């Protein structure tokens, strides 16, 4: 089960990065559940699907995303319908800083059989150190 979960996470991360880099808003958002919650973004308590979609559309339309990479990926827990993982996400925009964060995500197999992100949390620097995730 763990190998299958690792494959699912890697496929999802690759699709997420590729759709962001190529600016494919619809394909990118098809990877995100409508019940998603994004936590840990400074200045925001929680970001839900509509806000995430709007921000992605603006960034993609402006061609802002230059590169997205994931490293140090590990599956934390896996079941038939849910997979929790941690990774280091690096996002490079065209005319801006490189944003590197340790994240924890939950993928859920939804009723249509697709794996979608239902939760993402940006880990604090203390948590990243605890899990030995390489962030700067």
């Amino acid at each position: 089960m763990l190998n299958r979960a690792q494959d699912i996470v890697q496929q999802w991360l690759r699709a997420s990065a590729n759709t962001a880099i190529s600016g494919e808003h619809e394909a990118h958002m098809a990877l995100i559940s409508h019940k998603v919650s994004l936590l840990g973004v400074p200045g925001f308590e929680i970001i839900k699907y509509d806000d995430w979609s709007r921000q992605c559309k603006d960034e993609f339309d402006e061609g802002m995303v230059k590169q997205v990479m994931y490293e140090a990926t590990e599956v934390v827990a896996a079941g038939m319908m849910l997979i929790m993982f941690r990774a280091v996400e690096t996002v490079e925009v065209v005319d801006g800083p490189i944003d590197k964060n340790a994240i924890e995500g939950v993928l859920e197999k939804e009723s249509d059989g697709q794996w979608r992100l239902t939760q993402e949390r940006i880990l604090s620097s203390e948590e990243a150190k605890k899990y030995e995730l390489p962030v700067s």
Side-chain angles (χ1 to χ4, degrees):
M1 182 67 186
L2 190 57
N3 285 340
R4 174 140 169 70
Q6 289 171 333
D7 288 345
I8 290 166
V9 169
Q10 289 299 331
Q11 289 171 12
W12 188 92
L13 291 171
R14 196 169 24 259
S16 178
N18 289 341
T19 55
I21 293 165
S22 61
E24 298 173 63
H25 181 258
E26 190 173 318
H28 186 75
M29 293 312 296
L31 300 167
I32 311 294
S33 174
H34 281 270
K35 61 185 178 183
V36 73
S37 296
L38 173 58
L39 309 162
V41 177
F44 296 92
E45 186 173 327
I46 189 168
I47 295 174
K48 301 299 255 173
Y49 181 89
D50 290 338
D51 292 327
W52 191 331
S53 179
R54 209 172 4 266
Q55 181 177 342
C56 285
K57 179 138 180 56
D58 291 345
E59 291 174 359
F60 294 177
D61 286 352
E62 302 221 3
M64 293 176 63
V65 181
K66 182 176 180 181
Q67 186 67 262
V68 178
M69 296 180 304
Y70 295 94
E71 60 185 323
T73 303
E74 68 171 326
V75 171
V76 177
M80 297 297 291
M81 304 298 280
L82 292 171
I83 302 170
M84 178 183 272
F85 67 93
R86 289 190 197 104
V88 175
E89 177 185 63
T90 304
V91 178
E92 184 178 355
V93 294
V94 173
D95 287 324
I98 294 174
D99 194 19
K100 188 172 187 177
N101 292 296
I103 62 168
E104 185 173 78
V106 176
L107 297 178
E108 182 176 335
K109 190 173 189 178
E110 294 194 329
S111 60
D112 63 357
Q114 297 299 306
W115 288 93
R116 292 191 177 88
L117 188 72
T118 56
Q119 184 174 339
E120 181 173 304
R121 184 171 67 93
I122 297 174
L123 302 177
S124 68
S125 57
E126 293 81 27
E127 287 177 295
K129 285 179 193 169
K130 175 181 156 186
Y131 299 125
E132 300 178 5
L133 295 171
V135 291
S136 44

